[in-house]
Amino acid sequence: MAEINALLAGLTAEELEELKALGPKGHLGRHLIEALDRAAGGPDAGRGFYVLDGSVNGNGGQFHILRNDVSERIFHSQPAQG
């Protein structure tokens, strides 16, 4: 969980909102993959936080989605009560 928290802390508010707008199984655009890599420490560092979903786009490329536990952390986390 700490790795996921660090990843999410490295994203901008706009990037996090865009991920939320896509939904739990939304296809990640290149800019979001780059943002996840950056937040994880650099080029390709985010691999593993996002995974292939098994479908293929019209150009023969594959779609990436958030890993289940990363998605759950974003969509099912409760705000801290103070």
Side-chain angles (χ1 to χ4, degrees), residues 1-5 7-8 24-25 48-51 66-77:
M1 183 76 97
E3 289 180 355
I4 296 171
N5 289 340
L7 174 78
L8 298 179
K25 297 293 181 185
F49 289 109
Y50 53 86
V51 296
L66 292 172
R67 192 176 70 200
N68 285 341
D69 58 343
V70 176
S71 181
E72 287 176 15
R73 177 70 177 93
I74 292 172
F75 294 99
H76 299 290
S77 63

Short mmCIF file of all heavy atoms in Angstrom, two decimals, residues 1-5 7-8 24-25 48-51 66-77:
data_model
loop_
_atom_site.label_atom_id
_atom_site.label_comp_id
_atom_site.label_asym_id
_atom_site.label_seq_id
_atom_site.Cartn_x
_atom_site.Cartn_y
_atom_site.Cartn_z
N MET A 1 0.82 -1.20 0.00
CA MET A 1 0.00 0.00 0.00
C MET A 1 0.86 1.25 0.00
O MET A 1 0.51 2.23 -0.61
CB MET A 1 -0.95 -0.02 1.20
CG MET A 1 -1.88 1.14 1.25
SD MET A 1 -3.23 1.04 0.10
CE MET A 1 -4.47 0.40 1.17
N ALA A 2 2.02 1.21 0.67
CA ALA A 2 2.89 2.38 0.73
C ALA A 2 3.38 2.77 -0.65
O ALA A 2 3.46 3.96 -0.97
CB ALA A 2 4.07 2.12 1.66
N GLU A 3 3.70 1.77 -1.50
CA GLU A 3 4.15 2.07 -2.86
C GLU A 3 3.04 2.77 -3.65
O GLU A 3 3.31 3.69 -4.40
CB GLU A 3 4.57 0.80 -3.58
CG GLU A 3 5.85 0.20 -3.08
CD GLU A 3 6.21 -1.06 -3.83
OE1 GLU A 3 5.41 -1.52 -4.68
OE2 GLU A 3 7.29 -1.60 -3.56
N ILE A 4 1.83 2.31 -3.48
CA ILE A 4 0.70 2.92 -4.19
C ILE A 4 0.49 4.34 -3.69
O ILE A 4 0.27 5.26 -4.48
CB ILE A 4 -0.58 2.08 -4.04
CG1 ILE A 4 -0.39 0.72 -4.71
CG2 ILE A 4 -1.79 2.80 -4.62
CD1 ILE A 4 -1.51 -0.27 -4.45
N ASN A 5 0.57 4.55 -2.38
CA ASN A 5 0.41 5.90 -1.83
C ASN A 5 1.48 6.83 -2.37
O ASN A 5 1.19 7.98 -2.70
CB ASN A 5 0.47 5.86 -0.30
CG ASN A 5 -0.76 5.23 0.30
OD1 ASN A 5 -1.80 5.13 -0.33
ND2 ASN A 5 -0.63 4.77 1.53
N LEU A 7 3.09 6.52 -5.22
CA LEU A 7 2.76 6.75 -6.63
C LEU A 7 1.70 7.83 -6.76
O LEU A 7 1.87 8.79 -7.52
CB LEU A 7 2.27 5.46 -7.28
CG LEU A 7 1.77 5.60 -8.71
CD1 LEU A 7 2.94 5.69 -9.67
CD2 LEU A 7 0.84 4.46 -9.08
N LEU A 8 0.62 7.68 -6.02
CA LEU A 8 -0.47 8.65 -6.11
C LEU A 8 -0.05 10.03 -5.65
O LEU A 8 -0.50 11.04 -6.20
CB LEU A 8 -1.68 8.15 -5.32
CG LEU A 8 -2.30 6.83 -5.82
CD1 LEU A 8 -3.46 6.43 -4.94
CD2 LEU A 8 -2.70 6.92 -7.27
N PRO A 24 -12.61 2.87 -13.08
CA PRO A 24 -11.69 1.83 -12.61
C PRO A 24 -11.01 1.01 -13.71
O PRO A 24 -9.92 0.51 -13.52
CB PRO A 24 -12.57 0.93 -11.74
CG PRO A 24 -13.76 1.74 -11.40
CD PRO A 24 -13.94 2.72 -12.50
N LYS A 25 -11.66 0.84 -14.84
CA LYS A 25 -11.09 0.03 -15.93
C LYS A 25 -10.88 0.85 -17.19
O LYS A 25 -10.82 0.32 -18.29
CB LYS A 25 -11.99 -1.18 -16.23
CG LYS A 25 -12.14 -2.15 -15.08
CD LYS A 25 -10.84 -2.84 -14.79
CE LYS A 25 -11.00 -3.83 -13.65
NZ LYS A 25 -9.74 -4.43 -13.27
N GLY A 48 3.75 -2.13 -14.04
CA GLY A 48 3.32 -2.93 -12.91
C GLY A 48 2.18 -2.24 -12.16
O GLY A 48 1.32 -2.90 -11.63
N PHE A 49 2.19 -0.90 -12.15
CA PHE A 49 1.06 -0.18 -11.58
C PHE A 49 -0.06 -0.11 -12.61
O PHE A 49 -1.22 0.06 -12.27
CB PHE A 49 1.45 1.24 -11.15
CG PHE A 49 2.34 1.26 -9.94
CD1 PHE A 49 3.67 1.62 -10.05
CD2 PHE A 49 1.86 0.92 -8.69
CE1 PHE A 49 4.50 1.65 -8.94
CE2 PHE A 49 2.66 0.94 -7.57
CZ PHE A 49 4.00 1.31 -7.70
N TYR A 50 0.30 -0.23 -13.88
CA TYR A 50 -0.68 -0.35 -14.96
C TYR A 50 -0.36 -1.64 -15.73
O TYR A 50 0.79 -2.08 -15.78
CB TYR A 50 -0.68 0.87 -15.89
CG TYR A 50 0.68 1.25 -16.46
CD1 TYR A 50 1.14 0.66 -17.62
CD2 TYR A 50 1.47 2.20 -15.84
CE1 TYR A 50 2.38 1.02 -18.15
CE2 TYR A 50 2.70 2.56 -16.35
CZ TYR A 50 3.15 1.97 -17.52
OH TYR A 50 4.38 2.32 -18.04
N VAL A 51 -1.40 -2.26 -16.26
CA VAL A 51 -1.26 -3.56 -16.92
C VAL A 51 -2.05 -3.56 -18.22
O VAL A 51 -2.91 -2.70 -18.44
CB VAL A 51 -1.76 -4.71 -16.01
CG1 VAL A 51 -0.90 -4.83 -14.76
CG2 VAL A 51 -3.22 -4.51 -15.62
N LEU A 66 -5.27 0.54 -15.05
CA LEU A 66 -4.64 0.49 -13.74
C LEU A 66 -4.71 -0.93 -13.18
O LEU A 66 -5.71 -1.62 -13.37
CB LEU A 66 -5.34 1.44 -12.77
CG LEU A 66 -5.19 2.92 -13.06
CD1 LEU A 66 -6.10 3.73 -12.15
CD2 LEU A 66 -3.74 3.36 -12.92
N ARG A 67 -3.67 -1.33 -12.47
CA ARG A 67 -3.69 -2.61 -11.76
C ARG A 67 -4.83 -2.57 -10.75
O ARG A 67 -5.17 -1.51 -10.22
CB ARG A 67 -2.34 -2.81 -11.07
CG ARG A 67 -2.11 -4.21 -10.54
CD ARG A 67 -0.73 -4.34 -9.98
NE ARG A 67 -0.62 -3.57 -8.74
CZ ARG A 67 0.53 -3.17 -8.21
NH1 ARG A 67 1.68 -3.43 -8.80
NH2 ARG A 67 0.54 -2.49 -7.08
N ASN A 68 -5.46 -3.69 -10.46
CA ASN A 68 -6.65 -3.74 -9.60
C ASN A 68 -6.45 -3.03 -8.26
O ASN A 68 -7.31 -2.26 -7.83
CB ASN A 68 -7.10 -5.18 -9.35
CG ASN A 68 -7.79 -5.77 -10.55
OD1 ASN A 68 -8.26 -5.08 -11.44
ND2 ASN A 68 -7.83 -7.09 -10.60
N ASP A 69 -5.33 -3.29 -7.57
CA ASP A 69 -5.16 -2.68 -6.25
C ASP A 69 -4.92 -1.18 -6.33
O ASP A 69 -5.31 -0.43 -5.45
CB ASP A 69 -4.08 -3.38 -5.42
CG ASP A 69 -2.73 -3.41 -6.09
OD1 ASP A 69 -2.62 -3.18 -7.31
OD2 ASP A 69 -1.73 -3.67 -5.38
N VAL A 70 -4.33 -0.71 -7.44
CA VAL A 70 -4.15 0.74 -7.63
C VAL A 70 -5.51 1.37 -7.87
O VAL A 70 -5.85 2.40 -7.28
CB VAL A 70 -3.18 1.03 -8.79
CG1 VAL A 70 -3.07 2.52 -9.04
CG2 VAL A 70 -1.81 0.41 -8.53
N SER A 71 -6.29 0.72 -8.72
CA SER A 71 -7.64 1.20 -9.02
C SER A 71 -8.49 1.25 -7.75
O SER A 71 -9.19 2.24 -7.49
CB SER A 71 -8.28 0.29 -10.07
OG SER A 71 -9.56 0.74 -10.40
N GLU A 72 -8.42 0.20 -6.95
CA GLU A 72 -9.19 0.16 -5.70
C GLU A 72 -8.78 1.29 -4.78
O GLU A 72 -9.62 1.90 -4.11
CB GLU A 72 -9.03 -1.19 -5.01
CG GLU A 72 -9.77 -2.29 -5.69
CD GLU A 72 -9.53 -3.65 -5.06
OE1 GLU A 72 -9.02 -3.71 -3.92
OE2 GLU A 72 -9.87 -4.65 -5.70
N ARG A 73 -7.50 1.58 -4.73
CA ARG A 73 -7.01 2.65 -3.85
C ARG A 73 -7.57 4.00 -4.28
O ARG A 73 -7.94 4.83 -3.46
CB ARG A 73 -5.47 2.66 -3.86
CG ARG A 73 -4.85 3.76 -3.06
CD ARG A 73 -5.05 3.54 -1.56
NE ARG A 73 -4.40 4.57 -0.82
CZ ARG A 73 -4.99 5.69 -0.41
NH1 ARG A 73 -6.25 5.91 -0.69
NH2 ARG A 73 -4.31 6.60 0.26
N ILE A 74 -7.67 4.22 -5.58
CA ILE A 74 -8.19 5.49 -6.10
C ILE A 74 -9.71 5.59 -5.92
O ILE A 74 -10.22 6.61 -5.48
CB ILE A 74 -7.83 5.66 -7.59
CG1 ILE A 74 -6.33 5.86 -7.75
CG2 ILE A 74 -8.59 6.84 -8.20
CD1 ILE A 74 -5.84 5.83 -9.17
N PHE A 75 -10.42 4.52 -6.24
CA PHE A 75 -11.87 4.58 -6.30
C PHE A 75 -12.60 4.17 -5.04
O PHE A 75 -13.77 4.45 -4.88
CB PHE A 75 -12.38 3.76 -7.48
CG PHE A 75 -11.96 4.35 -8.80
CD1 PHE A 75 -10.86 3.86 -9.48
CD2 PHE A 75 -12.63 5.44 -9.32
CE1 PHE A 75 -10.45 4.42 -10.67
CE2 PHE A 75 -12.23 6.02 -10.51
CZ PHE A 75 -11.14 5.51 -11.20
N HIS A 76 -11.92 3.49 -4.11
CA HIS A 76 -12.61 3.01 -2.93
C HIS A 76 -12.01 3.55 -1.64
O HIS A 76 -12.36 3.09 -0.57
CB HIS A 76 -12.61 1.48 -2.90
CG HIS A 76 -13.32 0.89 -4.07
ND1 HIS A 76 -14.68 0.97 -4.23
CD2 HIS A 76 -12.85 0.25 -5.15
CE1 HIS A 76 -15.01 0.39 -5.37
NE2 HIS A 76 -13.93 -0.04 -5.96
N SER A 77 -11.08 4.48 -1.76
CA SER A 77 -10.49 5.04 -0.54
C SER A 77 -11.45 6.03 0.09
O SER A 77 -12.17 6.73 -0.60
CB SER A 77 -9.14 5.69 -0.84
OG SER A 77 -9.32 6.78 -1.72
#
